[in-house]
Amino acid sequence: MSGTTRITVTLPTEQVAELRKLTDNVSGYVAEAVARQIRHQLLGEDLRRHQEAHGAFTEEELSEARAKILGAARPAGRTDVA
């Protein structure tokens, strides 16, 4: 892991209580959540740029992407993507 910087973050009391129920390593948990959000935003920007250059994704392309990303992870009978 690269170097770390200590910061202070303010969260609602209820979130902190739930967070402490989930993990003993709050810093690690928050770092993973931040990394996931950064990846999500960067991917969104890449997809936006791709569509600006090549046009909107077709339904076929979107279906293929969903199948690759969610195929094995989606519970049987579930059709929503969000």
Side-chain angles (χ1 to χ4, degrees):
M1 181 177 202
S2 61
T4 59
T5 301
R6 185 178 181 97
I7 64 169
T8 300
V9 177
T10 303
L11 296 170
T13 301
E14 298 80 19
Q15 286 184 356
V16 174
E18 291 301 317
L19 184 57
R20 287 186 173 144
K21 290 178 188 177
L22 295 172
T23 185
D24 292 330
N25 182 0
V26 172
S27 291
Y29 191 97
V30 171
E32 287 179 22
V34 170
R36 186 172 43 253
Q37 184 63 29
I38 290 170
R39 285 191 306 273
H40 177 79
Q41 285 186 245
L42 292 174
L43 177 58
E45 291 171 12
D46 286 345
L47 293 172
R48 181 187 50 76
R49 281 193 300 270
H50 178 86
Q51 288 187 92
E52 285 175 358
H54 303 284
F57 293 109
T58 65
E59 281 303 316
E60 182 179 338
E61 290 170 325
L62 292 172
S63 293
E64 184 178 334
R66 286 184 189 109
K68 287 180 180 179
I69 294 170
L70 303 173
R74 183 181 297 162
R78 185 170 171 188
T79 58
D80 64 316
V81 178

